[in-house]
Amino acid sequence: MIHSQKMKYVLVTGGVVSGLGKGVTASSIGLILKASGLRVTSIKIDPYLNTDAGTMSPFEHGEVFVLDDGGEADLDLGNYERFLDIKLTRDNNITTGKIYQSVIDKERKGDYLGQTVQVVPHITDAIQEWIEHAAAIPVDGKEGPADICVIELGGTIGDIESMPFIEALGQFSYRVGPGNFCLIHVSLVPVLAAVGEQKTKPTQHSVRGLRSLGLSPNILACRSTMELDGNVKEKLSRFCHVPIENIITLCDVSNIWRVPLLLRDQNAHEAILKVLNLTGYIREPVLGEWTSRADLCDLLSEPVRIAMVGKYTGLADSYLSVLKALLHASVECHRKLCVDWVPATDLEDATAEENPNSHRSAWKLLEGADAILVPGGFGDRGIEGKILAAKYAREKRIPYLGICLGMQIAVIEFARSILGLQNANSTEFDSNTKSPCVILMPEGSKTQMGGTMRLGSRRTYLHGTSSKSAKLYDHRSFIDERHRHRYEVNPDMVPQLEDAGLSFPGKDESGHRMEIVELPNHPYFVGVQFHPEFKSRPGKPSALFLGLVAAACGQLDALLKKGSTKARKTSSASSTTKSQLYEKATKLVSSVYCNGNGLHV
Ligand code: GLN
C-alpha cells in the first residue's frame, strides 16, 4: 500500500479485433500490481445501451455475473473478483445505459436548466464523475480507497459506441495528469502461416486510431501465437512511439493463470509503475502460490468427468463461473477437469424419436460422468431432460450438484418419484400444477414480475451438524451466498418432502425459504437455491463444488473427516503428492478440455 492521496489509473483498451482476452489481461495486470503490494480495484466499461447485463442472453453475451449488492454485471467482473480476490459493486460496471439514464434523470429534475444537454460535456463529465466515484469504493475489505484502479474499456477502438467514453477518458487522463494515468493497449500481431512473419500493421493502425482520438498508449500488450522478434518490437516502438521495454508479448499459454506470470516475466509491472511514478515504493511481485497453481494445473492428467446438463451448451461463457468453480475444485483435488456438455433436451424421450443419435450420445455422456451438475436457468426448455438427469443421479448414486434451477429440478424429481406426485412441478413451468413443489416467492410484490428477482447476497442458516453441507462449510452457523431467482421450494410441501427423506439443512432467517436440500443417504446429492460459483476463487474453491468434485474422485470421506478448510490449506484432499504428479505427467497439457468442441476455460 502506498501513502499517496491520489488514485492512480490504468486504462486497458483493445484494438484490431475483439476476443483478444482483454478482460483476462486487465485482471492479470491488476494481479501483478496487487502482488507488488498495491491495493487494486477495477471498473469495467461496457459501451452498450442496456442498463446492465441482467436482460442480456447468456447465449450471446456469456453469463450474467451476480455481485454481492445484487448488481447483474458483465462476466469480466467475475474475472476481476477471482484474480484480485475482491468484491465489486454494481457501480464498478459502467454502461452507456447507466450514464445516459443518469444524465437524462438530471435533465428531467432540472439540474441543467437553461443548458443544451450534450454528449460533450454532459455525458463525458458524467462518465468521469462515475469513474472517480466507483474507483473510490473499497472492494478488498479494507477501509478507504485503493491505490490503483484498473479500467477496462469494452469493445475495440474505432467502435461508434465507445466514442463518448474515449473522449471522456482522454479528458480524464489530462485532468488526473501525467504520473497518474497509464494506458495499456491490447493489440494483435498476427503471424502469417505461409512465411511465419509477424505483422505489425494492424497494431500500427489501431494505435494511430487511438491517437487520433486523443489517447496515446504507454504500453502495448501484443497478443500473438509466439514471442515477438526483436526487430518486430523495434518496428512497433518506432511507429507507435512506445519504448521497446514497454512492448509486452501475450503469446498463447497453457492456462489463463499463466497470463500474470507472463506479464511479470516481461517486467510489465515495472513498466506500469514507472509510468505511474511508483518505482521504488513497491516490492517485486509475490506470485509463489499463483505459480505453483499454474504449474500444477498443467501437470494434472487424471481426469474427473463432470456432466453439465444445461440449456446453453454451445457457449462455455454462458456458464463461465460454474466452470471456474469446477476448475478451482478439480485442481484442489489434483484432477484434470473434463466437462462433458449434455444438452438437456437431448436426454428427453422426444429426442429419442426425433434424433436417436443425439439422444444416445447425451445418455452416454451422462452415464460416463463421475458427477452431474445441473446449473441455474430460466424458461422451460430442457426441464424434463434435467429432471431425468437428477433422477439418474439419485438412483445410480452419482454425485449431484443442483444450482438454483438445478435444486428446484431435484425437488420436483423427488416429489414425482418418491412422493408419487406425478404432476409435481414448478409454477414457473406449469402454473396450474396440482402439486406445486416450487412456487413464486419474490421478496417484493407477488403480482408483478419486473424487479421481483431475489438478487445478491442473502444469508443461509445451517441447521444441524450431520449434513454434508454443514461439514463442507466447516460447521459455520451461517453463510452468505449470492442469489438470482424468483421461485423457491414451496414451504407448505416441506414437511411431506422431509418425511419422505429429503432434508433441508440450510434455510433463510425466517425458516420459510429453503436454501439447501440434501439426500442424506446418497454419496453426494446437494441442491442449493443460491449460486456458490460466484464466490469461488483460485486456491479457495467453493465448499460445495469441492464436495462435488471430491465425491466424484472418491475423496469426499477424507475431506469431510479433515474439515474442508483444513484440507484445503494442506491440499491433502488428494493423496497424490506434487512430486508424484510430476512423475506421472508425461507432457504438458492444457488445463481444461471439453468433449471435442474446443471450449476452454
Ligand atoms: N428460474 C428459476 C427461478 O427464477 C431459477 C433461476 C436460476 O436458476 N437462476 O427461480
Side-chain angles (χ1 to χ4, degrees):
M1 155 136 193
I2 49 170
H3 300 286
S4 140
Q5 291 305 311
K6 251 189 159 174
M7 168 77 68
K8 310 243 175 194
Y9 297 89
V10 175
L11 171 64
V12 180
T13 57
V16 186
V17 288
S18 59
L20 288 177
K22 198 155 28 90
V24 172
T25 308
S27 308
S28 304
I29 288 164
L31 178 68
I32 57 167
L33 295 175
K34 182 178 172 184
S36 302
L38 293 160
R39 287 179 59 207
V40 182
T41 181
S42 78
I43 294 175
K44 169 80 196 288
I45 298 177
D46 284 308
Y48 45 65
L49 276 163
N50 303 59
T51 309
D52 59 35
T55 53
M56 294 165 84
S57 157
F59 193 43
E60 269 180 52
H61 297 275
E63 77 174 2
V64 177
F65 189 79
V66 181
L67 301 164
D68 259 3
D69 67 2
E72 297 174 280
D74 182 84
L75 55 78
D76 275 321
L77 274 83
N79 283 327
Y80 289 118
E81 286 206 346
R82 285 186 287 267
F83 271 60
L84 300 174
D85 199 9
I86 52 177
K87 281 184 191 159
L88 296 168
T89 72
R90 51 159 51 89
D91 286 354
N92 294 75
N93 194 187
I94 305 180
T95 64
T96 302
K98 283 184 188 170
I99 296 289
Y100 272 75
Q101 197 165 44
S102 74
V103 170
I104 292 168
D105 286 350
K106 273 170 103 179
E107 188 275 333
R108 291 290 82 188
K109 275 204 314 208
D111 287 5
Y112 305 112
L113 226 47
Q115 297 175 39
T116 308
V117 182
Q118 292 175 298
V119 172
V120 182
H122 301 102
I123 293 292
T124 47
D125 280 354
I127 294 169
Q128 294 177 66
E129 281 160 23
W130 197 301
I131 290 174
E132 278 186 312
H133 148 76
I137 302 170
V139 293
D140 56 2
K142 299 188 184 130
E143 270 176 36
D147 302 314
I148 298 222
C149 177
V150 177
I151 306 170
E152 179 195 347
L153 176 62
T156 307
I157 294 301
D159 293 346
I160 293 175
E161 284 85 353
S162 49
M163 290 302 180
F165 289 103
I166 305 261
E167 174 58 29
L169 288 160
Q171 293 180 16
F172 189 69
S173 71
Y174 174 69
R175 197 153 63 77
V176 297
N180 295 317
F181 191 88
C182 174
L183 171 50
I184 302 178
H185 188 57
V186 183
S187 182
L188 175 72
V189 176
V191 182
L192 292 193
V195 275
E197 202 185 334
Q198 303 174 339
K199 307 304 280 182
T200 62
K201 199 64 85 168
T203 302
Q204 289 182 42
H205 276 298
S206 93
V207 169
R208 199 166 299 151
L210 198 56
R211 277 186 199 290
S212 70
L213 297 168
L215 284 169
S216 300
N218 302 100
I219 294 172
L220 288 181
C222 301
R223 287 283 281 116
S224 191
T225 47
M226 55 209 298
E227 279 283 328
L228 292 192
D229 293 340
N231 63 332
V232 172
K233 282 194 179 180
E234 261 170 42
K235 201 165 165 189
L236 282 171
S237 169
R238 187 169 326 119
F239 284 105
C240 303
H241 314 173
V242 171
I244 206 155
E245 63 275 15
N246 289 13
I247 300 178
I248 313 288
T249 319
L250 295 175
C251 52
D252 294 350
V253 282
S254 52
N255 70 67
I256 67 163
W257 294 337
R258 293 217 172 276
V259 180
L261 308 175
L262 198 62
L263 289 167
R264 189 260 333 256
D265 292 347
Q266 296 173 74
N267 293 322
H269 54 291
E270 279 176 18
I272 300 167
L273 296 173
K274 203 162 154 198
V275 175
L276 297 177
N277 280 341
L278 286 175
T279 35
Y281 283 90
I282 309 303
R283 61 169 194 236
E284 274 296 299
V286 179
L287 287 166
E289 264 185 45
W290 197 270
T291 311
S292 326
R293 211 162 29 240
D295 289 345
L296 177 59
C297 190
D298 277 345
L299 290 166
L300 299 172
S301 58
E302 199 174 330
V304 55
R305 306 196 77 89
I306 312 286
M308 277 269 284
V309 184
K311 182 166 148 188
Y312 306 118
T313 49
L315 180 70
D317 275 2
S318 315
Y319 299 111
L320 189 68
S321 294
V322 174
L323 292 174
K324 295 294 178 195
L326 283 173
L327 178 66
H328 303 157
S330 308
V331 171
E332 206 65 29
C333 293
H334 291 185
R335 287 292 192 281
K336 181 180 174 66
L337 175 64
C338 178
V339 176
D340 286 324
W341 298 89
V342 183
T345 42
D346 287 358
L347 294 170
E348 295 171 3
D349 294 346
T351 309
E353 283 161 34
E354 288 157 22
N355 197 340
N357 285 343
S358 303
H359 184 258
R360 213 171 302 122
S361 60
W363 274 100
K364 206 166 160 222
L365 286 176
L366 199 72
E367 284 158 10
D370 300 315
I372 296 172
L373 193 151
V374 178
F378 295 84
D380 55 7
R381 189 155 68 90
I383 290 301
E384 294 303 322
K386 291 176 190 175
I387 291 175
L388 289 171
K391 183 178 170 67
Y392 179 82
R394 182 179 57 75
E395 288 178 348
K396 303 282 180 202
R397 302 176 63 76
I398 311 291
Y400 176 90
L401 179 61
I403 297 174
C404 204
L405 179 63
M407 171 216 197
Q408 299 170 2
I409 289 289
V411 174
I412 297 170
E413 193 284 313
F414 188 87
R416 286 186 189 178
S417 302
I418 307 295
L419 295 183
L421 304 169
Q422 266 146 39
N423 295 318
N425 214 331
S426 162
T427 53
E428 183 180 8
F429 314 125
D430 178 2
S431 49
N432 298 317
T433 173
K434 294 263 178 314
S435 309
C437 53
V438 177
I439 57 166
L440 181 67
M441 280 177 59
E443 283 180 333
S445 162
K446 278 210 175 194
T447 50
Q448 254 197 327
M449 286 297 276
T452 52
M453 196 106 88
R454 192 162 172 253
L455 274 170
S457 186
R458 296 285 186 283
R459 191 153 285 184
T460 294
Y461 290 87
L462 295 162
H463 307 284
T465 50
S466 59
S467 70
K468 295 191 180 74
S469 354
K471 288 179 188 154
L472 286 163
Y473 277 115
D474 289 327
H475 296 293
R476 274 182 271 163
S477 52
F478 64 81
I479 48 156
D480 293 321
E481 297 277 11
R482 298 177 186 175
H483 295 67
R484 184 172 187 253
H485 65 106
R486 286 191 183 88
Y487 293 82
E488 285 174 61
V489 176
N490 183 351
D492 294 342
M493 285 183 69
V494 166
Q496 223 179 322
L497 292 161
E498 280 177 333
D499 286 349
L502 201 59
S503 78
F504 296 92
K507 298 179 186 171
D508 78 334
E509 63 283 354
S510 73
H512 275 81
R513 295 179 193 272
M514 303 304 123
E515 292 283 1
I516 306 178
V517 26
E518 257 188 50
L519 268 179
N521 297 321
H522 186 285
Y524 191 84
F525 194 98
V526 178
V528 280
Q529 190 54 78
F530 47 81
H531 291 266
E533 68 271 25
F534 293 130
K535 285 171 75 172
S536 187
R537 302 279 187 264
K540 290 190 219 164
S542 163
L544 299 179
F545 278 86
L546 186 60
L548 178 79
V549 175
C553 320
Q555 299 174 12
L556 186 62
D557 285 347
L559 179 69
L560 294 182
K561 248 180 238 143
K562 288 196 172 91
S564 62
T565 306
K566 237 200 211 147
R568 256 177 273 156
K569 271 194 195 133
T570 54
S571 263
S572 52
S574 162
S575 54
T576 326
T577 66
K578 201 167 163 188
S579 57
Q580 281 171 312
L581 279 164
Y582 273 94
E583 275 168 38
K584 269 204 281 178
T586 47
K587 61 177 172 72
L588 290 185
V589 281
S590 65
S591 62
V592 176
Y593 60 92
C594 307
N595 48 306
N597 57 7
L599 298 172
H600 290 262
V601 290

